[in-house]
Amino acid sequence: MATFQTLPGFREFYPEDFARRNHVFRLWRQTANAFGFAEYDAPVLEPLDLYKAKSGDEIEAQLFSFTDKGGREVALRPEMTPTVCRLVGAKASALKRPIKWFSIAEFYRYERMQKGRGRCFSQFNADIFGEPGPEAEIELIALLVQCLCAFGLTEQDFYVRLSDRNLWFFYLEALGLDEPRIRAMLGAVDRHEKYGDEAFKVYGEQFGALDGGLKEKVLAFLRVKSLAELEQALAGIQPAGEEGSVGPKLVARLAEWKKLLGGLEAMGLARFVEVDLGVVRGLAYYTGFVFEAFDRKGELRALAGGGRYDDLVAKLGGPALPAVGFAIGDMTFALLLEQRGLMPKFVQVPDVYCVIGGEAERLAAFADIHTLRAAGFRVEYPMKELAFGKQFKAAAESGAKLALIYGGDELAKGVVKIRDLGQRTELEVGRAQVAATVREFFSGA
RNA sequence: GCGGUCAUAGCUCAGUUGGUUAGAGCACAAGAUUGUGAAUCUUGGGGUCGCGGGUUCGAGUCCCGUUGGCCGCCCCA
């Protein structure tokens, strides 16, 4: 048993694990490319203040942070958003709009592990900068859906819940709440799914008990599950001619909802998306539409989450720049794929396995082995001398399609015996024809 | 940060009310087998029973602590 243990919550990728991870990353990358997103990366270690500026001082408890040898307060990145805001903010005026970027990167959070959560994990991040309208959300939600569908997942397996912090803000404003009350109420809305009416307790402690009419209106809004219900709920709140200052904002917002849902429907994605105003997402930097993807069975943590954060680039020192983004975590996602039998088994299979008689034959084989490898074939051979019987067994077990046989007889005749391990047929070819014959076999296969 | 639960070979697990040198299957390796296939048989390597302490004539087994895994709470950017 090894003296040294892996640090808690960190992961090791043995070849089969690594193959699975590669598979996931490869399809994410391919999908993002299809949507015209450009890939970037950035440092793993960042100034601690970058995260404090975004999320507040409390965030430090959940970071891998320390003081470096130059006295700098630094942290391993727990997320990509502040970093990408800095990157984009620094060159905003030179970047062609819309700015569509993605990354696949590893992140670190000092947290207790749970199912689907560790201290290190990877995320696919995609963001659009410079587009204030719901066109950006359409593009991103479509990308999110496709990033899951690319693996064979369907609307039976997952769905995206769509909500809107702006809409809530305007609605609560129309109900007469001031900003502190609105923020507290959004906190209650966020917790309502889990705690029921208990969720309003904090609000009550802060601002006094909720009057029944208000609570009823909040609950009604929270239960909105479709555009039609939304229109109905809003119709009730803005009687014609009254509340003139709030009404137009809600009307304009409703138009954006129609645009967003209409766009997604036109893409054929309506079946993946559910209106659900019960989602507002924890941290307060989101400024508009927010969305989260969940498995349909509701057994797993959120698969992905995102939303609009129009103020963040400026807050982190860049120009005012509207932004929307989302992230998919790799851990919960891998669990879902395993659960649905959509994670392939990866075995490394050579194209060709060489069966080699002795030392002289080995040298002859080496010449062909290297030629074939240089041509892109995956070629294996036994590292040490083995009985022929063992070598044929090894060739069969390796999964190779072809065996090249370099025995004393063949060497003497200047030929190589090529055995089709699937068909169990053999033919002899001259040494000079080996590469061409192998190439022909695989181009036909 | 809090709670529950678990820890024996690379993996899955046995191991009796505490009793001699800790076992099996799988996997790995060698041989039977020096020119043809996933088989079979034989053999082998591999363990400070997570770590530390305690009780006892004696601890894998009981007690305490600790580390780590899993699950849940808080949190979830």
Side-chain angles (χ1 to χ4, degrees), chain A residues 169-171 173-175 238 242-251:
Chain A
F169 218 92
F170 299 154
Y171 181 76
E173 207 175 5
L175 292 177
Q238 38 163 346
E242 292 174 38
E243 303 289 342
S245 61
V246 176
K249 282 201 255 181
L250 279 170
V251 169

Side-chain angles (χ1 to χ4, degrees), chain A residues 2 4-7 9-18 20-21 106 120:
Chain A
F4 298 106
Q5 292 185 331
T6 314
L7 256 16
F10 281 78
R11 299 185 292 172
E12 289 164 317
F13 293 90
Y14 282 82
E16 306 88 62
D17 309 316
F18 198 77
R20 281 192 279 270
R21 193 176 84 166
E106 194 162 47
C120 94

Side-chain angles (χ1 to χ4, degrees), chain A residues 16-334:
Chain A
E16 306 88 62
D17 309 316
F18 198 77
R20 281 192 279 270
R21 193 176 84 166
N22 269 341
H23 173 245
V24 170
F25 286 7
R26 186 167 48 242
L27 288 187
W28 280 347
R29 183 167 282 127
Q30 205 172 298
T31 305
N33 283 327
F35 278 71
F37 282 67
E39 188 168 8
Y40 65 94
D41 199 359
V44 170
L45 200 62
E46 290 274 21
L48 177 59
D49 284 344
L50 180 63
Y51 303 112
K52 285 188 174 173
K54 182 199 167 210
S55 307
D57 289 351
E58 328 75 57
I59 198 69
E60 190 171 352
Q62 288 164 68
L63 297 178
F64 273 94
S65 60
F66 55 96
T67 306
D68 77 4
K69 291 179 183 178
R72 287 171 283 260
E73 294 284 325
V74 297
L76 288 171
R77 62 185 176 197
E79 58 165 326
M80 196 54 110
T81 306
T83 300
V84 71
C85 284
R86 185 191 62 217
L87 262 58
V88 168
K91 297 196 177 175
S93 54
L95 294 169
K96 191 168 267 179
R97 311 301 167 87
I99 302 161
K100 305 195 327 188
W101 284 13
F102 82 99
S103 68
I104 297 171
E106 194 162 47
F107 300 95
Y108 307 87
R109 297 180 186 176
Y110 198 87
E111 289 186 293
R112 195 85 171 153
M113 293 98 55
Q114 264 171 65
K115 192 176 185 178
R117 188 168 86 176
R119 286 183 173 181
C120 94
F121 55 93
S122 297
Q123 278 187 347
F124 171 90
N125 272 264
D127 296 270
I128 296 180
F129 296 89
E131 176 51 61
E135 292 80 2
E137 278 88 342
I138 293 173
E139 185 83 335
L140 281 166
I141 292 171
L143 174 58
L144 166 56
V145 168
Q146 190 53 35
C147 274
L148 305 192
C149 289
F151 294 82
L153 293 167
T154 70
E155 72 270 23
Q156 316 275 314
D157 300 309
F158 76 94
Y159 67 114
V160 177
R161 303 165 79 188
L162 179 63
S163 182
D164 182 357
R165 287 184 70 97
N166 271 0
L167 189 68
W168 268 107
F169 218 92
F170 299 154
Y171 181 76
L172 295 173
E173 207 175 5
L175 292 177
L177 301 189
D178 59 11
E179 192 170 329
R181 276 169 225 266
I182 290 175
R183 293 199 177 280
M185 186 60 82
L186 286 180
V189 169
D190 192 33
R191 289 157 181 274
H192 188 267
E193 183 173 41
K194 202 162 190 179
Y195 299 103
D197 283 359
E198 276 288 295
F200 294 108
K201 222 168 129 186
V202 179
Y203 181 93
E205 283 163 7
Q206 227 175 322
F207 300 104
L210 224 47
D211 85 75
L214 176 59
K215 183 174 165 185
E216 208 170 291
K217 280 175 179 159
V218 168
L219 285 177
F221 207 55
L222 193 150
R223 296 198 184 100
V224 165
K225 290 280 193 276
S226 70
L227 193 57
E229 284 174 37
L230 177 57
E231 289 189 274
Q232 205 175 355
L234 291 181
I237 193 69
Q238 38 163 346
E242 292 174 38
E243 303 289 342
S245 61
V246 176
K249 282 201 255 181
L250 279 170
V251 169
R253 198 59 191 153
L254 190 58
E256 299 203 294
W257 268 86
K258 284 178 179 165
K259 199 172 200 176
L260 172 53
L261 291 172
L264 290 170
E265 191 173 352
M267 282 188 172
L269 304 178
R271 65 188 190 278
F272 292 99
V273 180
E274 291 187 4
V275 176
D276 188 344
L277 297 186
V279 179
V280 290
R281 280 178 80 76
L283 262 111
Y285 69 91
Y286 284 114
T287 57
F289 289 109
V290 290
F291 47 94
E292 290 193 308
F294 286 90
D295 72 295
R296 283 276 184 194
K297 290 185 183 166
E299 292 169 352
L300 301 172
R301 313 175 71 81
L303 291 160
R308 180 166 283 279
Y309 51 98
D310 284 346
D311 301 335
L312 198 55
V313 178
K315 192 175 175 186
L316 295 176
L321 192 63
V324 202
F326 74 86
I328 311 173
D330 72 324
M331 294 181 77
T332 302
F333 185 65

Side-chain angles (χ1 to χ4, degrees), chain A residues 352-405:
Chain A
V352 174
Y353 192 98
C354 294
V355 172
I356 299 169
E359 277 312 308
E361 293 88 344
R362 175 172 296 259
L363 295 180
F366 275 178
D368 294 346
I369 287 169
H370 190 77
T371 303
L372 287 169
R373 286 174 167 174
F377 294 103
R378 184 167 165 157
V379 183
E380 292 277 20
Y381 63 93
M383 290 282 220
K384 59 188 176 196
E385 286 202 42
L386 280 178
F388 270 92
K390 275 235 187 293
Q391 293 194 54
F392 281 106
K393 199 171 190 173
E397 282 173 356
S398 76
K401 304 276 188 307
L402 292 182
L404 301 193
I405 301 158

